[in-house]
Amino acid sequence: MSDVETWRAVAAATGDTDRAAAERGVRLAYRGAGLAEPERIIWAGSPLAGARIARSLGDAGRSVRDEVRTHPWAEERRRVHDVLGPAGWAEHWNTTGARLWDTTRALAERIRTGIMEALADQPAEAAEIRAVLLDAVLGQHDAAWLAAFDGRGERLEGLAEVARHAGWWWPYERAVVICERPVALHRDEAGRLDRGDGPALAYPDGFALYAWRGMPVPAEFLTGLPSLTPERIRTEANAELRRVMLEYYGYDRYLNESEARPVHRDETGVLWRIALDGDEDVAMVEVVNSTPEPDGTYRTYWLRVPPTVSTAKAGVAWTFGVEEEVYAPVRQT
């Protein structure tokens, strides 16, 4: 496994945490920063619990995140940049950390948002927790930039060791709060949180995030998906949740069971329109792949197009970014 794939696995790791290895990493990071090792290491079941514990510490001293994480990272980046040069550094980053950056950053941001949502009815605590989150080191979710420095020096080895074995952590002068890894992580092919029958991200203490193809949804919303009906979809007031319902239910199935009628048909396909109360129409073009499957059948696809299109050809042309008049494919696939 390449270094990048190893760190990709670190970022997505779930299950039991190796506490002893993570604590060794913490102590190594402190020593590398020229600090005395922390007197206490406190474990938490999730980033929400970790932030709450960090907020409540009364005798831990100030945050030493800058010494433990920010300054070593900046100095190591400067050193590698000087060795490789601007073009070399850009190429190195593009083949290492950049390949993990978008998905890990998005996951970390979603966790932060989920923490604040969990505290929505406690504004005073939420304001304090928001500040505490700035002191967090992201552990496994720092995998992107750690991948760029793997094997290039020992300065970041303590941080890397924690990341390999644990989640987020808070370093203070005399104490460290460190989180367990998730027990479950479900993502779609684009790397977005995605699960239709439970939490897409779950921690040992019950903190969890629910999502469908990257869109946050309430936990109770998912339990109703298996029993959806066209009427239930039509009466959903939230347009975003209605979209999730349609994706889960299937546009073709919804069209069939809603007794929808095609509004236009031509050589490219069939244009269907779904009228929704309080929302713009959903327009879909039904197209048949001209290339047969291995079993000789031809697969049907449904293309979501703007509700303003009036012909099937205009809808298909829109998916290619051209006007209907200039859309003339040599071969459809």
Side-chain angles (χ1 to χ4, degrees), residues 271 285 303-306 309-320:
L271 175 65
V285 178
L303 308 176
R304 179 80 180 270
V305 298
V309 302
S310 57
T311 68
K313 185 177 180 181
V316 174
W318 176 85
T319 67
F320 287 96

Side-chain angles (χ1 to χ4, degrees), residues 267-268 313 317 320 322-332:
E267 72 279 7
T268 61
K313 185 177 180 181
F320 287 96
V322 299
E323 297 296 327
E324 178 179 4
E325 293 75 17
V326 300
Y327 175 67
V330 175
R331 181 185 181 207
Q332 286 184 317

Side-chain angles (χ1 to χ4, degrees), residues 36 47 72 76 119 126 173 188 193 215 219 248 260 263 288 307 311 332:
E76 196 67 7
L119 301 172
E173 286 180 299
D188 64 10
L193 290 178
M215 195 188 91
Y248 182 92
V263 297
V288 178
T311 68
Q332 286 184 317

